[in-house]
Amino acid sequence: MSFDPWQYALGTVAALLIGFSKTGVPGAGILVVPLMAQVFGARLSVGATLPLLLLGDCFAVAFYRRDADWAWLRRIAPWVTGGLFVGAVTLKVLGDLRLPSDPLGPVIGVLILAMLALTLLRGRLGDRLRPHSPTGTVLTGVLAGFSTMVSNAAGPVMAIFMTAAGLPKERLLGTSAWTFLIFNLAKVPLLLLLTADNPAEPLFTPETFLFGLTLVPALGLGALVGRVLLPFIPERGFSLLVLGLSAVAAVRLIV
């Protein structure tokens, strides 16, 4: 597998956004999903993006490692784990279909649009969108696990989940950093098993891993820029730009 300059260009932008989202504006990460899908195709992008996300999580944990609320994380862990397994089964079923075009593309596109809708609703409804009942907590956790397994796009769901806990800002950032690191690590063996089970439709390849290594400097730069420039970024304007570009890319994946 060889890569063209435009693929490296899109990958570099995606890596910058991953680093930036982990230490600057979290909503920037949603655009990474369709960008990487354009580079690799939908299915391969799931595994190709994961090492970069894990590295970004390490940056976030390094900055906020002392601020996690472990009791909250233990409460939601079973439901997110259940969602991971539902997502893994979905990836297996879609991989076994042997269709002419990748069926995961429209699924990721729809998930991105759903995450964008949740982001906009969260801005309008605030507390009313938070899961206030045990059933709401279970459903939100399963949706978060499913979304991150299938598309690496659970950010908006987890944001709703975490703000429902009413944590202070520093504790929220630390808990978020550890949560994403732990569950992204949990996805690695599942994706490797799915690849071994169906080598014709892999989720990891040596080529995509090496491609990701070339993007590490861009990710580190994005993390540092996010950390330094966070106080000066017009967050609303930047977020609207990211949401708009993500919506266009999601529609492209669907059609």
Side-chain angles (χ1 to χ4, degrees):
M1 181 183 295
S2 60
F3 299 100
D4 295 326
W6 70 266
Q7 291 173 299
Y8 282 105
L10 286 183
T12 299
V13 173
L16 285 167
L17 285 171
I18 290 172
F20 190 74
S21 69
K22 296 297 182 180
T23 60
V25 180
I30 192 67
L31 183 55
V32 171
V33 179
L35 284 178
M36 294 297 275
Q38 293 297 323
V39 174
F40 295 107
R43 189 172 181 87
L44 263 181
S45 72
V46 177
T49 308
L50 187 54
L52 293 172
L53 292 174
L54 284 168
L55 182 57
D57 293 332
C58 290
F59 276 104
V61 166
F63 288 132
Y64 305 113
R65 61 187 176 277
R66 295 187 178 91
D67 296 306
D69 186 325
W70 293 102
W72 179 89
L73 206 159
R74 284 193 294 270
R75 281 200 306 276
I76 63 99
W79 317 122
V80 178
T81 302
L84 291 179
F85 282 103
V86 174
V89 171
T90 302
L91 287 174
K92 174 171 173 51
V93 170
L94 293 177
D96 290 342
L97 290 178
R98 298 291 196 275
L99 297 177
S101 60
D102 188 352
L104 190 58
V107 173
I108 291 178
V110 170
L111 279 173
I112 293 169
L113 291 179
M115 295 302 110
L116 297 179
L118 279 176
T119 301
L120 295 174
L121 283 172
R122 183 172 169 238
R124 284 184 170 272
L125 300 180
D127 288 347
R128 287 174 288 173
L129 194 61
R130 297 177 183 178
H132 295 289
S133 67
T135 302
T137 298
V138 171
L139 292 176
T140 307
V142 171
L143 178 58
F146 175 81
S147 300
T148 192
M149 188 73 210
V150 171
S151 65
N152 296 311
V157 180
M158 291 305 295
I160 294 169
F161 214 167
M162 290 179 179
T163 53
L167 301 175
K169 182 178 180 181
E170 291 76 14
R171 185 62 62 89
L172 185 70
L173 290 170
T175 304
S176 175
W178 279 107
T179 299
F180 279 107
L181 177 61
I182 290 168
F183 288 115
N184 278 332
L185 281 171
K187 287 153 55 178
V188 173
L190 293 173
L191 293 178
L192 288 173
L193 283 172
L194 288 167
T195 297
D197 177 67
N198 188 358
E201 297 290 340
L203 290 150
F204 280 124
T205 69
E207 292 83 3
T208 60
F209 182 74
L210 291 174
F211 182 94
L213 289 180
T214 67
L215 303 179
V216 169
L219 190 150
L221 177 62
L224 293 174
V225 168
R227 182 74 169 173
V228 172
L229 296 185
L230 179 59
F232 310 102
I233 296 169
E235 186 171 342
R236 178 172 173 77
F238 182 80
S239 297
L240 288 174
L241 175 63
V242 168
L243 291 176
L245 291 174
S246 300
V248 171
V251 171
R252 179 180 170 85
L253 281 172
I254 293 170
V255 302

PDB file of all heavy atoms in Angstrom, residues 46-73:
ATOM      1  N   VAL A  46     -10.650   3.134  11.030  1.00  0.00           N
ATOM      2  CA  VAL A  46     -10.948   2.877  12.447  1.00  0.00           C
ATOM      3  C   VAL A  46      -9.686   2.463  13.188  1.00  0.00           C
ATOM      4  O   VAL A  46      -9.359   2.996  14.253  1.00  0.00           O
ATOM      5  CB  VAL A  46     -12.040   1.794  12.581  1.00  0.00           C
ATOM      6  CG1 VAL A  46     -12.290   1.469  14.044  1.00  0.00           C
ATOM      7  CG2 VAL A  46     -13.330   2.254  11.918  1.00  0.00           C
ATOM      8  N   GLY A  47      -8.945   1.499  12.624  1.00  0.00           N
ATOM      9  CA  GLY A  47      -7.720   1.063  13.262  1.00  0.00           C
ATOM     10  C   GLY A  47      -6.559   2.017  13.054  1.00  0.00           C
ATOM     11  O   GLY A  47      -5.724   2.190  13.944  1.00  0.00           O
ATOM     12  N   ALA A  48      -6.500   2.642  11.887  1.00  0.00           N
ATOM     13  CA  ALA A  48      -5.385   3.546  11.596  1.00  0.00           C
ATOM     14  C   ALA A  48      -5.386   4.764  12.507  1.00  0.00           C
ATOM     15  O   ALA A  48      -4.321   5.290  12.852  1.00  0.00           O
ATOM     16  CB  ALA A  48      -5.453   3.985  10.133  1.00  0.00           C
ATOM     17  N   THR A  49      -6.565   5.221  12.905  1.00  0.00           N
ATOM     18  CA  THR A  49      -6.661   6.411  13.754  1.00  0.00           C
ATOM     19  C   THR A  49      -6.354   6.098  15.206  1.00  0.00           C
ATOM     20  O   THR A  49      -5.895   6.969  15.956  1.00  0.00           O
ATOM     21  CB  THR A  49      -8.077   7.009  13.654  1.00  0.00           C
ATOM     22  OG1 THR A  49      -8.421   7.200  12.284  1.00  0.00           O
ATOM     23  CG2 THR A  49      -8.163   8.354  14.357  1.00  0.00           C
ATOM     24  N   LEU A  50      -6.580   4.864  15.631  1.00  0.00           N
ATOM     25  CA  LEU A  50      -6.493   4.531  17.053  1.00  0.00           C
ATOM     26  C   LEU A  50      -5.123   4.792  17.674  1.00  0.00           C
ATOM     27  O   LEU A  50      -5.051   5.365  18.774  1.00  0.00           O
ATOM     28  CB  LEU A  50      -6.919   3.076  17.266  1.00  0.00           C
ATOM     29  CG  LEU A  50      -7.036   2.612  18.719  1.00  0.00           C
ATOM     30  CD1 LEU A  50      -7.947   3.524  19.517  1.00  0.00           C
ATOM     31  CD2 LEU A  50      -7.535   1.169  18.772  1.00  0.00           C
ATOM     32  N   PRO A  51      -3.987   4.402  17.050  1.00  0.00           N
ATOM     33  CA  PRO A  51      -2.693   4.716  17.683  1.00  0.00           C
ATOM     34  C   PRO A  51      -2.486   6.214  17.887  1.00  0.00           C
ATOM     35  O   PRO A  51      -1.906   6.630  18.904  1.00  0.00           O
ATOM     36  CB  PRO A  51      -1.675   4.147  16.689  1.00  0.00           C
ATOM     37  CG  PRO A  51      -2.412   3.072  15.969  1.00  0.00           C
ATOM     38  CD  PRO A  51      -3.820   3.570  15.839  1.00  0.00           C
ATOM     39  N   LEU A  52      -2.942   7.023  16.952  1.00  0.00           N
ATOM     40  CA  LEU A  52      -2.817   8.472  17.109  1.00  0.00           C
ATOM     41  C   LEU A  52      -3.684   8.970  18.263  1.00  0.00           C
ATOM     42  O   LEU A  52      -3.266   9.842  19.041  1.00  0.00           O
ATOM     43  CB  LEU A  52      -3.214   9.172  15.811  1.00  0.00           C
ATOM     44  CG  LEU A  52      -2.286   8.928  14.621  1.00  0.00           C
ATOM     45  CD1 LEU A  52      -2.890   9.515  13.348  1.00  0.00           C
ATOM     46  CD2 LEU A  52      -0.910   9.535  14.868  1.00  0.00           C
ATOM     47  N   LEU A  53      -4.886   8.424  18.387  1.00  0.00           N
ATOM     48  CA  LEU A  53      -5.747   8.811  19.506  1.00  0.00           C
ATOM     49  C   LEU A  53      -5.106   8.429  20.836  1.00  0.00           C
ATOM     50  O   LEU A  53      -5.164   9.195  21.811  1.00  0.00           O
ATOM     51  CB  LEU A  53      -7.113   8.143  19.369  1.00  0.00           C
ATOM     52  CG  LEU A  53      -7.991   8.621  18.210  1.00  0.00           C
ATOM     53  CD1 LEU A  53      -9.250   7.767  18.125  1.00  0.00           C
ATOM     54  CD2 LEU A  53      -8.362  10.091  18.365  1.00  0.00           C
ATOM     55  N   LEU A  54      -4.507   7.251  20.884  1.00  0.00           N
ATOM     56  CA  LEU A  54      -3.857   6.817  22.121  1.00  0.00           C
ATOM     57  C   LEU A  54      -2.699   7.743  22.493  1.00  0.00           C
ATOM     58  O   LEU A  54      -2.520   8.073  23.676  1.00  0.00           O
ATOM     59  CB  LEU A  54      -3.348   5.377  21.965  1.00  0.00           C
ATOM     60  CG  LEU A  54      -4.423   4.298  22.051  1.00  0.00           C
ATOM     61  CD1 LEU A  54      -3.868   2.949  21.599  1.00  0.00           C
ATOM     62  CD2 LEU A  54      -4.949   4.193  23.476  1.00  0.00           C
ATOM     63  N   LEU A  55      -1.932   8.167  21.489  1.00  0.00           N
ATOM     64  CA  LEU A  55      -0.842   9.097  21.774  1.00  0.00           C
ATOM     65  C   LEU A  55      -1.390  10.436  22.269  1.00  0.00           C
ATOM     66  O   LEU A  55      -0.867  11.024  23.223  1.00  0.00           O
ATOM     67  CB  LEU A  55       0.003   9.309  20.515  1.00  0.00           C
ATOM     68  CG  LEU A  55       1.219  10.230  20.674  1.00  0.00           C
ATOM     69  CD1 LEU A  55       2.151   9.717  21.766  1.00  0.00           C
ATOM     70  CD2 LEU A  55       1.973  10.350  19.350  1.00  0.00           C
ATOM     71  N   GLY A  56      -2.473  10.904  21.636  1.00  0.00           N
ATOM     72  CA  GLY A  56      -3.104  12.130  22.111  1.00  0.00           C
ATOM     73  C   GLY A  56      -3.630  11.974  23.527  1.00  0.00           C
ATOM     74  O   GLY A  56      -3.529  12.910  24.348  1.00  0.00           O
ATOM     75  N   ASP A  57      -4.186  10.801  23.841  1.00  0.00           N
ATOM     76  CA  ASP A  57      -4.658  10.548  25.206  1.00  0.00           C
ATOM     77  C   ASP A  57      -3.504  10.621  26.201  1.00  0.00           C
ATOM     78  O   ASP A  57      -3.677  11.099  27.335  1.00  0.00           O
ATOM     79  CB  ASP A  57      -5.306   9.161  25.292  1.00  0.00           C
ATOM     80  CG  ASP A  57      -6.592   9.063  24.494  1.00  0.00           C
ATOM     81  OD1 ASP A  57      -7.265  10.089  24.330  1.00  0.00           O
ATOM     82  OD2 ASP A  57      -6.915   7.951  24.027  1.00  0.00           O
ATOM     83  N   CYS A  58      -2.329  10.134  25.802  1.00  0.00           N
ATOM     84  CA  CYS A  58      -1.165  10.193  26.692  1.00  0.00           C
ATOM     85  C   CYS A  58      -0.779  11.633  26.991  1.00  0.00           C
ATOM     86  O   CYS A  58      -0.412  11.970  28.135  1.00  0.00           O
ATOM     87  CB  CYS A  58       0.012   9.442  26.067  1.00  0.00           C
ATOM     88  SG  CYS A  58      -0.206   7.643  26.010  1.00  0.00           S
ATOM     89  N   PHE A  59      -0.855  12.504  25.979  1.00  0.00           N
ATOM     90  CA  PHE A  59      -0.598  13.927  26.220  1.00  0.00           C
ATOM     91  C   PHE A  59      -1.601  14.479  27.233  1.00  0.00           C
ATOM     92  O   PHE A  59      -1.237  15.190  28.172  1.00  0.00           O
ATOM     93  CB  PHE A  59      -0.698  14.719  24.916  1.00  0.00           C
ATOM     94  CG  PHE A  59       0.556  14.717  24.097  1.00  0.00           C
ATOM     95  CD1 PHE A  59       0.657  13.931  22.951  1.00  0.00           C
ATOM     96  CD2 PHE A  59       1.641  15.500  24.446  1.00  0.00           C
ATOM     97  CE1 PHE A  59       1.813  13.926  22.186  1.00  0.00           C
ATOM     98  CE2 PHE A  59       2.805  15.499  23.691  1.00  0.00           C
ATOM     99  CZ  PHE A  59       2.894  14.707  22.551  1.00  0.00           C
ATOM    100  N   ALA A  60      -2.887  14.158  27.029  1.00  0.00           N
ATOM    101  CA  ALA A  60      -3.927  14.681  27.916  1.00  0.00           C
ATOM    102  C   ALA A  60      -3.739  14.174  29.344  1.00  0.00           C
ATOM    103  O   ALA A  60      -3.874  14.935  30.313  1.00  0.00           O
ATOM    104  CB  ALA A  60      -5.308  14.285  27.386  1.00  0.00           C
ATOM    105  N   VAL A  61      -3.407  12.889  29.487  1.00  0.00           N
ATOM    106  CA  VAL A  61      -3.197  12.330  30.825  1.00  0.00           C
ATOM    107  C   VAL A  61      -1.973  12.964  31.487  1.00  0.00           C
ATOM    108  O   VAL A  61      -1.964  13.214  32.694  1.00  0.00           O
ATOM    109  CB  VAL A  61      -3.048  10.798  30.733  1.00  0.00           C
ATOM    110  CG1 VAL A  61      -2.490  10.220  32.030  1.00  0.00           C
ATOM    111  CG2 VAL A  61      -4.396  10.160  30.425  1.00  0.00           C
ATOM    112  N   ALA A  62      -0.941  13.228  30.690  1.00  0.00           N
ATOM    113  CA  ALA A  62       0.247  13.872  31.247  1.00  0.00           C
ATOM    114  C   ALA A  62      -0.081  15.245  31.829  1.00  0.00           C
ATOM    115  O   ALA A  62       0.451  15.639  32.875  1.00  0.00           O
ATOM    116  CB  ALA A  62       1.322  14.003  30.163  1.00  0.00           C
ATOM    117  N   PHE A  63      -0.996  15.973  31.179  1.00  0.00           N
ATOM    118  CA  PHE A  63      -1.361  17.307  31.662  1.00  0.00           C
ATOM    119  C   PHE A  63      -2.325  17.261  32.843  1.00  0.00           C
ATOM    120  O   PHE A  63      -2.272  18.105  33.732  1.00  0.00           O
ATOM    121  CB  PHE A  63      -1.992  18.122  30.523  1.00  0.00           C
ATOM    122  CG  PHE A  63      -1.010  18.557  29.466  1.00  0.00           C
ATOM    123  CD1 PHE A  63      -1.290  18.364  28.117  1.00  0.00           C
ATOM    124  CD2 PHE A  63       0.187  19.144  29.804  1.00  0.00           C
ATOM    125  CE1 PHE A  63      -0.399  18.756  27.134  1.00  0.00           C
ATOM    126  CE2 PHE A  63       1.089  19.545  28.831  1.00  0.00           C
ATOM    127  CZ  PHE A  63       0.800  19.353  27.494  1.00  0.00           C
ATOM    128  N   TYR A  64      -3.247  16.267  32.857  1.00  0.00           N
ATOM    129  CA  TYR A  64      -4.348  16.281  33.827  1.00  0.00           C
ATOM    130  C   TYR A  64      -4.422  14.984  34.657  1.00  0.00           C
ATOM    131  O   TYR A  64      -5.476  14.656  35.178  1.00  0.00           O
ATOM    132  CB  TYR A  64      -5.688  16.474  33.099  1.00  0.00           C
ATOM    133  CG  TYR A  64      -5.735  17.700  32.227  1.00  0.00           C
ATOM    134  CD1 TYR A  64      -5.813  17.584  30.835  1.00  0.00           C
ATOM    135  CD2 TYR A  64      -5.698  18.972  32.778  1.00  0.00           C
ATOM    136  CE1 TYR A  64      -5.854  18.715  30.025  1.00  0.00           C
ATOM    137  CE2 TYR A  64      -5.735  20.101  31.978  1.00  0.00           C
ATOM    138  CZ  TYR A  64      -5.819  19.967  30.601  1.00  0.00           C
ATOM    139  OH  TYR A  64      -5.859  21.077  29.807  1.00  0.00           O
ATOM    140  N   ARG A  65      -3.305  14.287  34.819  1.00  0.00           N
ATOM    141  CA  ARG A  65      -3.331  12.940  35.394  1.00  0.00           C
ATOM    142  C   ARG A  65      -3.797  12.901  36.848  1.00  0.00           C
ATOM    143  O   ARG A  65      -4.279  11.862  37.322  1.00  0.00           O
ATOM    144  CB  ARG A  65      -1.948  12.299  35.284  1.00  0.00           C
ATOM    145  CG  ARG A  65      -0.851  13.047  36.029  1.00  0.00           C
ATOM    146  CD  ARG A  65       0.515  12.446  35.721  1.00  0.00           C
ATOM    147  NE  ARG A  65       1.601  13.187  36.350  1.00  0.00           N
ATOM    148  CZ  ARG A  65       2.143  14.278  35.821  1.00  0.00           C
ATOM    149  NH1 ARG A  65       1.668  14.758  34.684  1.00  0.00           N
ATOM    150  NH2 ARG A  65       3.136  14.898  36.440  1.00  0.00           N
ATOM    151  N   ARG A  66      -3.673  13.976  37.579  1.00  0.00           N
ATOM    152  CA  ARG A  66      -4.005  13.953  39.009  1.00  0.00           C
ATOM    153  C   ARG A  66      -5.453  14.325  39.298  1.00  0.00           C
ATOM    154  O   ARG A  66      -5.847  14.396  40.460  1.00  0.00           O
ATOM    155  CB  ARG A  66      -3.083  14.907  39.774  1.00  0.00           C
ATOM    156  CG  ARG A  66      -1.616  14.489  39.763  1.00  0.00           C
ATOM    157  CD  ARG A  66      -0.794  15.378  40.672  1.00  0.00           C
ATOM    158  NE  ARG A  66       0.605  14.963  40.704  1.00  0.00           N
ATOM    159  CZ  ARG A  66       1.546  15.428  39.895  1.00  0.00           C
ATOM    160  NH1 ARG A  66       1.217  16.333  38.974  1.00  0.00           N
ATOM    161  NH2 ARG A  66       2.790  14.991  39.979  1.00  0.00           N
ATOM    162  N   ASP A  67      -6.243  14.558  38.264  1.00  0.00           N
ATOM    163  CA  ASP A  67      -7.574  15.130  38.485  1.00  0.00           C
ATOM    164  C   ASP A  67      -8.722  14.183  38.154  1.00  0.00           C
ATOM    165  O   ASP A  67      -9.856  14.622  38.008  1.00  0.00           O
ATOM    166  CB  ASP A  67      -7.733  16.410  37.650  1.00  0.00           C
ATOM    167  CG  ASP A  67      -6.768  17.503  38.086  1.00  0.00           C
ATOM    168  OD1 ASP A  67      -6.770  17.824  39.276  1.00  0.00           O
ATOM    169  OD2 ASP A  67      -6.014  18.003  37.240  1.00  0.00           O
ATOM    170  N   ALA A  68      -8.469  12.889  38.027  1.00  0.00           N
ATOM    171  CA  ALA A  68      -9.534  11.962  37.622  1.00  0.00           C
ATOM    172  C   ALA A  68     -10.464  11.629  38.787  1.00  0.00           C
ATOM    173  O   ALA A  68     -10.043  11.534  39.935  1.00  0.00           O
ATOM    174  CB  ALA A  68      -8.939  10.684  37.057  1.00  0.00           C
ATOM    175  N   ASP A  69     -11.740  11.441  38.470  1.00  0.00           N
ATOM    176  CA  ASP A  69     -12.730  10.961  39.433  1.00  0.00           C
ATOM    177  C   ASP A  69     -12.926   9.468  39.166  1.00  0.00           C
ATOM    178  O   ASP A  69     -13.741   9.059  38.340  1.00  0.00           O
ATOM    179  CB  ASP A  69     -14.052  11.722  39.252  1.00  0.00           C
ATOM    180  CG  ASP A  69     -15.070  11.380  40.321  1.00  0.00           C
ATOM    181  OD1 ASP A  69     -15.097  10.214  40.754  1.00  0.00           O
ATOM    182  OD2 ASP A  69     -15.848  12.265  40.705  1.00  0.00           O
ATOM    183  N   TRP A  70     -12.184   8.624  39.879  1.00  0.00           N
ATOM    184  CA  TRP A  70     -12.182   7.192  39.599  1.00  0.00           C
ATOM    185  C   TRP A  70     -13.493   6.527  39.981  1.00  0.00           C
ATOM    186  O   TRP A  70     -13.900   5.532  39.360  1.00  0.00           O
ATOM    187  CB  TRP A  70     -11.011   6.529  40.315  1.00  0.00           C
ATOM    188  CG  TRP A  70      -9.702   6.967  39.746  1.00  0.00           C
ATOM    189  CD1 TRP A  70      -8.839   7.879  40.279  1.00  0.00           C
ATOM    190  CD2 TRP A  70      -9.121   6.549  38.515  1.00  0.00           C
ATOM    191  NE1 TRP A  70      -7.749   8.049  39.464  1.00  0.00           N
ATOM    192  CE2 TRP A  70      -7.896   7.243  38.375  1.00  0.00           C
ATOM    193  CE3 TRP A  70      -9.506   5.650  37.522  1.00  0.00           C
ATOM    194  CZ2 TRP A  70      -7.062   7.067  37.273  1.00  0.00           C
ATOM    195  CZ3 TRP A  70      -8.677   5.476  36.424  1.00  0.00           C
ATOM    196  CH2 TRP A  70      -7.468   6.171  36.307  1.00  0.00           C
ATOM    197  N   ALA A  71     -14.184   7.063  40.976  1.00  0.00           N
ATOM    198  CA  ALA A  71     -15.478   6.478  41.356  1.00  0.00           C
ATOM    199  C   ALA A  71     -16.479   6.627  40.218  1.00  0.00           C
ATOM    200  O   ALA A  71     -17.230   5.694  39.899  1.00  0.00           O
ATOM    201  CB  ALA A  71     -16.004   7.147  42.629  1.00  0.00           C
ATOM    202  N   TRP A  72     -16.484   7.782  39.573  1.00  0.00           N
ATOM    203  CA  TRP A  72     -17.395   8.005  38.432  1.00  0.00           C
ATOM    204  C   TRP A  72     -17.032   7.071  37.280  1.00  0.00           C
ATOM    205  O   TRP A  72     -17.902   6.470  36.649  1.00  0.00           O
ATOM    206  CB  TRP A  72     -17.312   9.457  37.985  1.00  0.00           C
ATOM    207  CG  TRP A  72     -18.187   9.750  36.813  1.00  0.00           C
ATOM    208  CD1 TRP A  72     -19.484  10.140  36.834  1.00  0.00           C
ATOM    209  CD2 TRP A  72     -17.825   9.664  35.419  1.00  0.00           C
ATOM    210  NE1 TRP A  72     -19.962  10.300  35.553  1.00  0.00           N
ATOM    211  CE2 TRP A  72     -18.966  10.015  34.675  1.00  0.00           C
ATOM    212  CE3 TRP A  72     -16.655   9.334  34.744  1.00  0.00           C
ATOM    213  CZ2 TRP A  72     -18.961  10.037  33.285  1.00  0.00           C
ATOM    214  CZ3 TRP A  72     -16.651   9.350  33.370  1.00  0.00           C
ATOM    215  CH2 TRP A  72     -17.796   9.706  32.650  1.00  0.00           C
ATOM    216  N   LEU A  73     -15.735   6.936  37.035  1.00  0.00           N
ATOM    217  CA  LEU A  73     -15.301   6.091  35.920  1.00  0.00           C
ATOM    218  C   LEU A  73     -15.702   4.640  36.149  1.00  0.00           C
ATOM    219  O   LEU A  73     -16.124   3.946  35.219  1.00  0.00           O
ATOM    220  CB  LEU A  73     -13.782   6.219  35.760  1.00  0.00           C
ATOM    221  CG  LEU A  73     -13.213   5.959  34.359  1.00  0.00           C
ATOM    222  CD1 LEU A  73     -11.849   6.618  34.230  1.00  0.00           C
ATOM    223  CD2 LEU A  73     -13.084   4.480  34.067  1.00  0.00           C
TER     224      LEU A  73
END
